[in-house]
Amino acid sequence: MDKLIIQGGFPLHGEINISGAKNAALPILAATLLTDETVTVSNVPHLHDITTTMGLLGRMGSELTIDERMNIEVNNHNLRDYFAPYELVKTMRASILVLGPLLAHYGRADVSLPGGCAIGSRPVNLHLDGLKSMGAEIHVEGGYIRATANRLRGAKLTMDLVTVTGTENLMMAATLADGMTIIENAAREPEVVDLARCLIQMGAKIEGAGTDTIFIHGVDKLHGTHYTILPDRIESGTYLVAAAMTGGSIKLKNTRPQLLDAVIAKLREAGAEISHDDTNIVLEMNNRRPEAVNVHTSPFPGFPTDMQAQFTAMNCIAKGSGTITENVFENRFMHVQELQRMGARVRLEGNTAISRGVKQLNSAPVMATDLRASASLVLAGLVAKGSTVVDRIYHIDRGYETIEEKLTLLGAKIKRVPSALLN
Ligand code: UD1
């Protein structure tokens, strides 16, 4: 297993390109299962989760071609299997996104139940309830969701909770259903909107994506298209926090500042000067130490849970005390104990991390436990005294394209080392 070694204390300066959004690419690759024609997807980030999704599609019989610029062409006209095995689903919960498309297009799907996860129990009951309301027969046996349907029927679906992949699964399933589906209390995340735009380009009839009510008029067939994925707002936010923590100045190119309102507002509150146009963001911290902020996570357009760990790390070195309250997941604070090992004065009270910032963190060997937690440990390493070793970085490779290259471009001292070389 690779590790990252970070020598702290170098402010970030310079510019980097932001990659395509993982959380849009995953449902869009699953959406290719809705048509027999070729779908080409561009601006796909080079990430483990994308490789896992391609592996999943490939073993079901998808024909995939990929060029050196990560344009992926998918054709499913020879699909022979409708099966997502436990070995893949346990490494990537988003595999559940094939359930809706398989059922809608092929009338059957066997998908492993995702099971537990480092950030909470994360059930998929709302995905299943929605599909049942659309006429699917679903049995859970042997750890697998076994679903069959003739043609799904349009239905009115009122979601008990806002769920991102739940909304996406049901929206995809509804594109080929008989009649109209209404999803109430739908997720409004930009990645849901990106998926809807791709589906519309494939011939789907969808209105209201980006609001809490989505209307989908089912059609008989979808067709191929060429779609370009939107930029990753969480990757963007992570580099902005990295620059703010180190007192640096950076420019992010090819991003979408309008999708980062809640994050930018909190960074300004922390003392960052931020300017942007439609595709670039400039953050200047001018060697200042950030001020601690109070954050409450909530579904979009609120403050994203996927930025919670990074802000927790920032508060640990900020001036004053701050609170970070996690409202979306039940157990998303695994990074707190690791930050404590680096000298952070942070404690948990229920779903809130309360911190009093210290001037300097100290390096320590730390362990990544999930994707965003690992990002927060890298950020802490950038400002810690000495050399921080972050172990289990396969988590970070799931969501950050070439993180050490991008940080090196910005002047960080970071290298990847195969763990065998460290033992
Ligand atoms: C997606 C994102 C993830 C992000 C999360 C919240 C992808 C691939 N992943 O995950 O990065 O952190 O949204 O913004 O897009 N829930 C249920 N029953 C369900 C479904 C969800 O109780 O059937 C609960 C979950 O346990 C959680 C909450 O709803 O507490 C929100 O989860 P959800 O939006 O579904 O997260 P994901 O779609 O898995």
Side-chain angles (χ1 to χ4, degrees), residues 63-385:
E63 288 161 19
L64 296 144
T65 50
I66 178 165
D67 67 19
E68 70 289 348
R69 304 185 63 194
M70 286 297 283
N71 297 304
I72 301 182
E73 240 179 57
V74 191
N75 186 295
N76 297 312
H77 75 284
N78 277 332
L79 209 76
R80 51 175 187 272
D81 223 352
Y82 314 98
F83 177 60
Y86 178 63
E87 303 89 80
L88 286 180
V89 180
K90 76 174 182 202
T91 64
M92 189 189 70
R93 303 177 50 82
S95 312
I96 189 78
L97 284 164
V98 299
L99 178 62
L102 285 176
L103 198 52
H105 191 184
Y106 304 98
R108 54 172 293 199
D110 286 346
V111 177
S112 168
L113 270 176
C117 154
I119 65 176
S121 64
R122 297 184 80 175
V124 291
N125 57 310
L126 301 173
H127 303 230
L128 305 191
D129 290 350
L131 291 169
K132 282 183 196 160
S133 303
M134 296 170 78
E137 284 277 329
I138 299 186
H139 302 283
V140 176
E141 46 186 42
Y144 277 80
I145 302 160
R146 306 205 187 273
T148 51
N150 289 323
R151 187 174 181 191
L152 293 171
R153 307 184 292 271
K156 186 168 174 189
L157 309 173
T158 305
M159 312 300 285
D160 288 345
L161 282 172
V162 177
T163 157
V164 176
T165 50
T167 301
E168 292 167 344
N169 232 339
L170 297 172
M171 182 167 71
M172 289 190 279
T175 58
L176 292 179
D178 185 13
M180 163 122 100
T181 299
I182 304 175
I183 306 178
E184 290 182 335
N185 199 25
R188 292 182 279 167
E189 267 63 8
E191 295 74 22
V192 173
V193 178
D194 211 43
L195 170 64
R197 284 167 52 105
C198 176
L199 292 168
I200 290 167
Q201 262 186 230
M202 292 167 71
K205 302 227 174 313
I206 301 174
E207 286 159 39
T211 73
D212 62 4
T213 310
I214 305 179
F215 300 86
I216 306 116
H217 305 254
V219 295
D220 290 339
K221 221 171 141 196
L222 295 182
H223 53 71
T225 194
H226 182 168
Y227 193 77
T228 302
I229 305 282
L230 94 167
D232 197 310
R233 64 195 168 99
I234 305 302
E235 187 198 26
S236 306
T238 303
Y239 286 109
L240 292 177
V241 175
M245 284 175 72
T246 60
S249 309
I250 64 166
K251 179 176 183 179
L252 304 183
K253 296 188 295 183
N254 298 329
T255 181
R256 197 74 75 76
Q258 319 79 278
L259 307 180
L260 280 152
D261 283 353
V263 170
I264 288 176
K266 284 293 162 192
L267 283 167
R268 284 188 172 135
E269 215 179 296
E273 286 165 26
I274 298 179
S275 56
H276 62 80
D277 58 20
D278 284 349
T279 54
N280 302 296
I281 308 180
V282 173
L283 177 145
E284 295 183 357
M285 204 65 190
N286 303 321
N287 285 322
R288 272 172 291 125
R289 186 175 161 203
E291 310 273 346
V293 290
N294 299 326
V295 164
H296 291 251
T297 65
S298 62
F300 192 84
F303 187 93
T305 172
D306 285 351
M307 286 300 303
Q308 180 263 103
Q310 300 87 319
F311 271 73
T312 305
M314 185 173 80
N315 268 1
C316 289
I317 52 99
K319 271 187 254 164
S321 17
T323 58
I324 308 269
T325 304
E326 173 57 58
N327 296 312
V328 178
F329 290 109
E330 60 188 23
N331 182 29
R332 203 175 195 176
F333 278 121
M334 307 287 276
H335 43 288
V336 163
Q337 283 176 14
E338 300 299 299
L339 291 167
Q340 284 168 343
R341 298 184 59 249
M342 297 176 74
R345 284 161 59 192
V346 53
R347 67 190 160 84
L348 280 178
E349 239 174 59
N351 60 340
T352 300
I354 304 165
S355 58
R356 172 160 289 281
V358 293
K359 273 203 178 133
Q360 173 97 70
L361 292 173
N362 294 310
S363 58
V366 285
M367 184 107 74
T369 47
D370 68 67
L371 170 54
R372 306 303 168 186
S374 30
S376 76
L377 300 178
V378 172
L379 302 191
L382 292 174
V383 294
K385 188 167 172 214

Side-chain angles (χ1 to χ4, degrees), residues 397-416:
D397 293 332
R398 292 187 41 220
Y400 291 90
E401 189 173 51
T402 59
I403 189 167
E404 69 274 25
E405 285 173 28
K406 290 190 183 186
L407 284 171
T408 301
L409 263 177
L410 294 172
K413 304 285 176 246
I414 176 169
K415 62 180 179 195
R416 176 184 294 257

